[in-house]
Amino acid sequence: MAAQVEALTSATGLISLLDENERELQFYGLTQLNAVTDRFWAEISDAISRIEILYEDETFQHRQLAALVASKIYFHLGEFDDALGFAMGAGELFDLTDTSSYVQTVVNHAIDTYIARRASEASDIDPRLEAVVERMFARCFKSKDYAQVIGIAIETRRLDVLEQALVSGDTQSLLSYVQHECVDLIRSISVQEQVQELLFKVHMQFDTPDYEAVCLCLSKLNHPKKTAEILDMLVKDHIEDKILSAYQIAFDLDANATQEFTKAVVAEFEAVSAAGGASTPATQIASILRGDETLKLHLEFLFRNNKTDMNILNRTCKLLDSRQSLAHNATTFSNAFMHAGTTVDTFLRNNLEWLARASSWSKFSATAALGVIHRGQIKHGFHLLQPYLPVDNTSASPFSEGGAFFALGLIHACHGTEKVVTYLQDALVSYQGQNAEILQHGACLGLGAAGMGSGNEDIATAMMNVLFTDSAVSGEAASLGLGLVMMGSCHEATLKGVLDYAKETKHEKIIRMLSVGMGLIMFGRKQQADSMIALLIEEEDPLLRLGAVHVITMAYCGTGDNGAIRKLLHLAVSDVKDDVRRAAVTGLGFILLRSPEQVPRMVELLSESFNPHVRVGAALALGIACAGSGSKPAIAILEPMLKDSVDFVVEGASIALAFILIQQNETYEPKVAEVRKRFATIIETKNSEGVSKFGAAIAQGIIDAGGRNVTIGLTTNDGQLNAPACAGMLVFTQFWYWFPLAHFLSLSFTPTALIAINKNLKAPNLDVSCVSRKALYAYPPNVEQPVVQAPTKIATAVLSTTKARRGGKKMGVADEPMSARSTEDAEPVRESAESMDVDEVDTKGVQKKARKAGSDTFAVSNIARLLPFQEKHMKWPAGSRYVPVKHGRISGVLVVKDTMPEEPEDLVQSMLPDDLVGEEESVDAAMPEPFEYPFDADSA
């Protein structure tokens, strides 16, 4: 029979059988047509009506076979809806185990249709469609393909199937997979919450739940009370293992949760623990949740491992004309980024003359740089800035004082204490006159940084009051600060007030920052932002369309959502405003930051656009998505852009390359040395454009940020979105319009460290093994400072005839010129050199072999740099005295258990100066000598 089918050259004879009256002949015809459909579908399609008639005839016993043949014909015609309809009518004859393209395509279309119907909450879903999907689930369960079941169950909102999949396989690993790989990709916030509740339910079914994962679920669900109860339960039993687990949970919550949530947990935890009596573990947990311990450990790490190359900074300062505001700002930002969080301000102290040349807003930025350098010193923030803050509500130097307000907020970024917040709120209303708007500008930016994500409505009200004064200077900062404070809240009243005011005011600066603020308020809200996006995207005002871009970017940040990408690409190629097009292309980097390998392919053509704004947007998108990865495809696209004819494209390419190559050395990525040299060349070339030099100088600061000990961390060590870092990066891109906003990039800097602490929150001396070459992770070598040689006196030329006439002596070999010496005299030197070359090669060969043999493994000590791409090669040594409480991660702050508590501990000694270790309230703590900028009193 098979041979007869293969020998067919036409299906006409088989089609004619369908017109017979005998049911057996019709059945035989359908059976044969089903076998040859893939070959003769074009011919059979002419008889599709006859096949459909047989299917619709309820008296025909084999109508399901007719449906299957019709389905295959419609599949080949590209009519997938009809193909699915008839496939559902085929019942069991539609074999889901078949791996043909027909079955796979129809099944995929069935799932997509089912997903769409479930998402629209339709009540009239075809039972036959549900049957196909159920059969698909059964097939996956039978083959134990639980990951596929989980994906389809989440998309179709079948939580019953999701729960069945979680408990059928390796539950712990599947729970981790859903939490870290699936949940953040769900578009609907309500469905996301339902999935989190299900994860919480499944976790709690274990006899000993993974409380770290449980608390992560609760933080996503915004349940601070339940989180506090779990922490209290772990502590009150006074069992060391549980206490250490509680410490680790607190550190993870500080790293992953919002400021609003951690403050609520602290309040609930203190209330619960107070009822049972205060204890040392409870006090320490509260301190960890407030961020005090993490900030202290990061300060220690950044200070003791600071490897800033001052030669680069000094040379940049020397080459750039500090009398120009652009050049002065470039050096300010470069210094701030290089020393971010290190507390080292020696460059400022050693260059007072350069510092004194700052004027107006350059002075504002220079003072605010202190906040970047001293970020995290929340115990000494006021003391450090005391020389620059106003005294008795009297302003003497508004630009430096406004910068000090901003610096105070940066020092307390995401950890705003009540004292700092109250002080900055008072500053909004305490100053009047022509200089008030400059001080309010700094205070609003400081409040935004300190209160980021707190959802504090009192701060929001104070910001709105400043905004409604309709001052371009203070209103711009209030718009941004409002978005930062209410970040991710989707607060309807705030959004309505912001949108209405954006349509009323005539100040472009205010509207532009309100568009950024709206994006921040909708951070992570996904589908909830769609209505606002649809409203803004149709506005005639390009600044409001810019708001649509920022809302898309922030609402779908890190999701890789195809719908959001389509909208941004449409705006990038069709909008008439360059600012909108640039922001739309840049936004692609935020949306795809979790799948950076897709970005180079997506923006490759955009990077060659005739429009320079699109090109610079493509550069920034590459830098943001591929930050710290050393992506070779991204570097290949960006390198030619360093030679672009437009200065701001060169600026954007320089910054993007610095993002990508941060913490990379020449051994790991050979392009690093070439790119660094290119930055220096741009700065040294006299005819380079000022904007190009500005970008190169900032890039030098970024690539060596934090003393070469931080990276751009848009996700946390646990794979969660780092909300402050994403906000800081978005605001940094606004330096295009307002230079002081560049300081917000410091919020994206994440220390790359191994920090292990014991039950007393002290760091013991320990080593962890790295099975790889040490050279791959070494700090880049410092740039050699050019040696200036003193001029040497040239000997007076004396002719040989004159010398012979004067002295009567015969000219010796030493007196002859080199060209006149005999080859015999020079030959021994050549032979000696050749023999030395041979010896040198042999020596290098021996050294290379020895180095290769002994470089496979090296030890990484506690509180030392640990690069993200190094972590996969790390191994905790077997038999170590200290064992981490949390498994599967070695970077970041790790709580370790001492397996030999009876032996004395060898602790890492702090290298921070004494004045940085003591408490702010301590009267006996010796504070450093006040360091005042050499700014004269100024006025607006």
Side-chain angles (χ1 to χ4, degrees):
M1 182 67 69
Q4 294 177 359
V5 171
E6 290 295 331
L8 285 176
T9 58
S10 174
T12 304
L14 298 176
I15 295 172
S16 64
L17 293 176
L18 302 180
D19 295 327
E20 297 291 335
N21 293 326
E22 296 291 334
R23 294 298 192 185
E24 293 299 326
L25 291 176
Q26 292 174 343
F27 169 63
Y28 178 79
L30 287 173
T31 303
Q32 299 304 311
L33 287 175
N34 182 47
V36 299
T37 302
D38 292 340
R39 292 171 55 200
F40 300 111
W41 63 267
E43 188 177 353
I44 302 172
S45 63
D46 292 334
I48 188 67
S49 58
R50 280 179 276 178
I51 299 174
E52 289 184 14
I53 290 173
L54 289 175
Y55 168 67
E56 293 170 358
D57 185 358
E58 295 184 359
T59 63
F60 183 47
Q61 185 178 359
H62 304 288
R63 58 194 301 266
Q64 289 186 339
L65 179 60
L68 181 63
V69 175
S71 176
K72 289 183 178 181
I73 298 299
Y74 279 116
F75 161 72
H76 286 292
L77 291 172
E79 299 291 339
F80 297 134
D81 287 335
D82 291 331
L84 173 60
F86 283 103
M88 291 188 296
E92 295 295 332
L93 293 181
F94 181 60
D95 186 6
L96 295 179
T97 61
D98 188 0
T99 58
S100 65
S101 59
Y102 158 69
V103 173
Q104 297 299 319
T105 303
V106 173
V107 167
N108 290 340
H109 191 67
I111 293 172
D112 290 340
T113 304
Y114 187 65
I115 290 171
R117 300 291 289 169
R118 293 281 298 181
S120 63
E121 299 181 356
S123 58
D124 56 342
I125 299 177
D126 193 330
R128 298 177 303 167
L129 178 61
E130 287 189 331
V132 171
V133 175
E134 290 291 347
R135 288 169 56 200
M136 185 66 188
F137 282 137
R139 192 193 79 176
C140 293
F141 276 116
K142 186 176 181 180
S143 61
K144 297 184 178 181
D145 191 357
Y146 299 118
Q148 188 169 357
V149 174
I150 287 171
I152 299 174
I154 291 176
E155 288 288 345
T156 57
R157 306 186 181 190
R158 290 289 301 274
L159 299 186
D160 56 329
V161 178
L162 176 60
E163 183 175 4
Q164 182 183 352
L166 289 174
V167 299
S168 298
D170 183 357
T171 304
Q172 290 288 5
S173 61
L174 290 175
L175 285 169
S176 177
Y177 169 73
V178 174
Q179 182 66 71
H180 295 99
E181 303 294 337
C182 302
V183 172
D184 287 338
L185 304 182
I186 301 173
R187 297 193 72 200
S188 171
I189 295 296
S190 61
V191 175
Q192 186 173 325
E193 291 176 351
Q194 291 173 17
V195 172
Q196 291 285 7
E197 289 175 354
L198 176 61
L199 295 180
F200 173 76
K201 173 186 172 183
V202 175
H203 272 298
M204 297 306 292
Q205 290 176 357
F206 289 95
D207 294 334
T208 55
D210 181 358
Y211 287 112
E212 295 174 13
V214 169
C215 289
L216 179 59
C217 290
L218 293 174
S219 69
K220 297 289 186 180
L221 292 168
N222 195 26
H223 287 331
K225 185 173 182 179
K226 288 184 179 179
T227 307
E229 290 172 353
I230 289 176
L231 291 173
D232 180 63
M233 180 268 296
L234 292 172
V235 170
K236 68 182 182 181
D237 292 338
H238 301 289
I239 299 174
E240 183 178 346
D241 287 350
K242 290 186 176 182
I243 293 174
L244 294 178
S245 179
Y247 288 166
Q248 186 66 66
I249 291 171
F251 276 114
D252 291 345
L253 287 175
D254 179 51
N256 296 311
T258 65
Q259 184 179 180
E260 179 182 16
F261 181 78
T262 53
K263 285 187 174 181
V265 173
V266 170
E268 294 285 352
F269 180 72
E270 289 180 341
V272 173
S273 58
S279 63
T280 300
T283 304
Q284 291 180 332
I285 287 175
S287 177
I288 295 170
L289 289 170
R290 282 192 289 265
D292 298 346
E293 301 301 326
T294 302
L295 291 175
K296 185 167 63 176
L297 291 168
H298 284 169
L299 278 174
E300 177 69 40
F301 164 71
L302 293 173
F303 182 80
R304 71 189 296 129
N305 295 286
N306 180 26
K307 295 291 189 299
T308 301
D309 187 354
M310 296 301 296
N311 292 335
I312 297 176
L313 200 53
N314 290 329
R315 185 159 180 77
T316 300
C317 180
K318 182 179 179 180
L319 290 171
L320 296 180
D321 185 2
S322 59
R323 293 170 296 180
Q324 298 179 4
S325 175
L326 184 66
H328 200 285
N329 273 308
T331 309
T332 296
F333 297 137
S334 183
N335 170 56
F337 294 155
M338 282 189 184
H339 292 99
T342 64
T343 74
V344 178
D345 54 11
T346 53
F347 175 79
L348 301 176
R349 298 175 184 272
N350 295 337
N351 292 274
L352 298 179
E353 184 180 351
W354 164 82
L355 202 55
R357 294 176 184 169
S359 61
S360 301
W361 290 104
S362 295
K363 191 181 299 184
F364 180 95
S365 296
T367 312
L370 277 178
V372 178
I373 295 171
H374 294 283
R375 185 188 171 197
Q377 290 199 43
I378 58 177
K379 298 294 184 183
H380 300 280
F382 279 101
H383 285 284
L384 288 166
L385 296 173
Q386 191 173 7
Y388 322 111
L389 293 170
V391 180
D392 297 329
N393 293 337
T394 303
S395 174
S397 179
F399 289 104
S400 58
E401 291 164 353
F405 287 149
F406 186 17
L408 187 63
L410 289 172
I411 288 175
H412 295 79
C414 305
H415 296 88
T417 62
E418 185 178 353
K419 179 181 178 182
V420 170
V421 170
T422 303
Y423 177 80
L424 291 175
Q425 274 187 264
D426 292 341
L428 295 178
V429 296
S430 299
Y431 302 96
Q432 303 296 329
Q434 60 178 352
N435 296 331
E437 60 181 10
I438 302 171
L439 298 171
Q440 289 175 343
H441 185 94
C444 285
L445 292 180
L447 268 175
M452 182 181 297
S454 65
N456 190 318
E457 295 190 12
D458 292 337
I459 301 178
T461 302
M463 296 276 197
M464 293 290 279
N465 292 335
V466 174
L467 178 62
F468 292 151
T469 61
D470 206 37
S471 166
V473 175
S474 57
E476 178 185 34
S479 303
L480 179 59
L482 182 62
L484 291 170
V485 171
M486 304 301 291
M487 182 177 177
S489 66
C490 192
H491 196 269
E492 292 185 7
T494 303
L495 283 171
K496 185 178 184 304
V498 163
L499 185 56
D500 291 343
Y501 190 75
K503 295 179 179 179
E504 292 176 7
T505 185
K506 302 300 181 183
H507 294 292
E508 288 190 3
K509 292 165 70 74
I510 294 179
I511 302 174
R512 187 180 293 114
M513 282 304 118
L514 283 174
S515 70
V516 177
M518 285 187 285
L520 293 170
I521 293 173
M522 299 303 293
F523 178 81
R525 306 309 295 186
K526 302 173 190 173
Q527 224 171 34
Q528 290 183 353
D530 287 349
S531 58
M532 173 166 278
I533 293 170
L535 180 67
L536 293 173
I537 212 167
E538 299 297 332
E539 290 286 343
E540 293 184 4
D541 188 346
L543 294 177
L544 291 177
R545 294 202 302 277
L546 185 63
V549 173
H550 292 318
V551 172
I552 295 171
T553 300
M554 289 288 98
Y556 290 96
C557 182
T559 63
D561 186 81
N562 290 329
I565 292 172
R566 280 196 296 270
K567 290 176 184 175
L568 290 182
L569 286 174
H570 176 72
L571 289 168
V573 299
S574 65
D575 202 277
V576 296
K577 187 69 173 178
D578 287 335
D579 288 352
V580 177
R581 301 181 70 176
R582 183 183 63 252
V585 181
T586 304
L588 294 173
F590 285 95
I591 293 178
L592 292 171
L593 63 87
R594 280 178 164 156
S595 49
E597 66 282 351
Q598 297 183 24
V599 181
R601 184 176 65 254
M602 183 173 293
V603 304
E604 186 173 7
L605 290 177
L606 295 174
S607 69
E608 300 173 359
S609 170
F610 71 93
N611 189 321
H613 292 268
V614 174
R615 296 202 298 273
V616 73
L620 290 175
L622 284 168
I624 292 167
C626 304
S629 67
S631 170
K632 294 184 184 297
I635 296 172
I637 295 173
L638 290 169
E639 270 194 302
M641 299 176 74
L642 290 176
K643 301 176 183 177
D644 199 280
S645 59
V646 180
D647 53 1
F648 60 76
V649 176
V650 177
E651 174 192 58
S654 300
I655 293 172
L657 278 169
F659 285 162
I660 294 171
L661 294 175
I662 188 171
Q663 288 198 318
Q664 311 274 331
N665 63 21
E666 193 173 355
T667 306
Y668 191 85
E669 174 49 64
K671 288 288 185 182
V672 171
E674 185 179 336
V675 170
R676 286 178 177 271
K677 186 176 180 181
R678 181 62 182 163
F679 292 161
T681 302
I682 293 173
I683 294 172
E684 292 169 0
T685 305
K686 289 186 177 180
N687 59 356
S688 292
E689 296 291 341
V691 173
S692 300
K693 292 185 176 182
F694 178 85
I698 287 185
Q700 285 183 329
I702 294 171
I703 203 170
D704 288 337
R708 298 178 171 176
N709 292 299
V710 300
T711 190
I712 306 294
L714 300 183
T715 56
T716 66
N717 290 324
D718 293 319
Q720 304 298 311
L721 269 185
N722 188 343
C726 294
M729 181 63 76
L730 177 69
V731 178
F732 167 76
T733 61
Q734 305 306 305
F735 81 88
W736 180 277
Y737 310 103
W738 191 233
F739 284 151
L741 299 182
H743 285 310
F744 275 97
L745 182 63
S746 61
L747 302 183
S748 299
F749 292 156
T750 302
T752 52
L754 164 64
I755 304 176
I757 59 171
N758 60 15
K759 62 181 181 180
N760 299 318
L761 304 187
K762 302 294 182 182
N765 276 311
L766 55 83
D767 291 329
V768 181
S769 300
C770 180
V771 186
S772 184
R773 290 175 54 202
K774 188 174 183 179
L776 293 172
Y777 317 110
Y779 288 97
N782 287 350
V783 175
E784 294 184 3
Q785 197 167 5
V787 179
V788 180
Q789 296 181 350
T792 57
K793 186 176 181 181
I794 301 175
T796 305
V798 180
L799 296 175
S800 58
T801 54
T802 304
K803 187 171 183 180
R805 185 168 59 251
R806 288 178 180 176
K809 297 181 180 178
K810 184 177 180 181
M811 188 165 55
V813 175
D815 299 320
E816 294 181 9
M818 287 295 295
S819 59
R821 296 186 186 181
S822 63
T823 57
E824 291 81 353
D825 295 332
E827 192 64 32
V829 177
R830 185 181 300 115
E831 291 177 358
S832 175
E834 289 175 356
S835 64
M836 289 175 65
D837 287 343
V838 173
D839 291 342
E840 184 180 356
V841 171
D842 291 341
T843 303
K844 285 183 177 179
V846 173
Q847 290 176 349
K848 185 175 181 180
K849 289 180 181 178
R851 184 171 64 248
K852 188 174 181 180
S855 60
D856 291 339
T857 304
F858 66 96
V860 177
S861 59
N862 198 7
I863 312 189
R865 189 175 78 154
L866 179 63
L867 302 182
F869 48 86
Q870 180 183 358
E871 186 172 358
K872 61 185 177 183
H873 302 291
M874 301 297 295
K875 289 186 177 180
W876 205 271
S880 174
R881 173 176 176 176
Y882 298 97
V883 179
V885 172
K886 184 171 186 174
H887 300 288
R889 198 190 81 197
I890 294 182
S891 61
V893 181
L894 292 176
V895 180
V896 294
K897 179 182 179 181
D898 185 2
T899 59
M900 304 176 186
E902 66 281 354
E903 297 185 8
E905 285 190 286
D906 180 18
L907 301 177
V908 177
Q909 299 301 315
S910 174
M911 295 181 66
L912 285 171
D914 293 339
D915 56 284
L916 300 184
V917 178
E919 296 291 328
E920 181 183 28
E921 293 79 6
S922 176
V923 179
D924 299 330
M927 294 304 302
E929 182 180 350
F931 163 52
E932 298 188 18
Y933 280 1
F935 295 153
D936 297 329
D938 56 2
S939 62

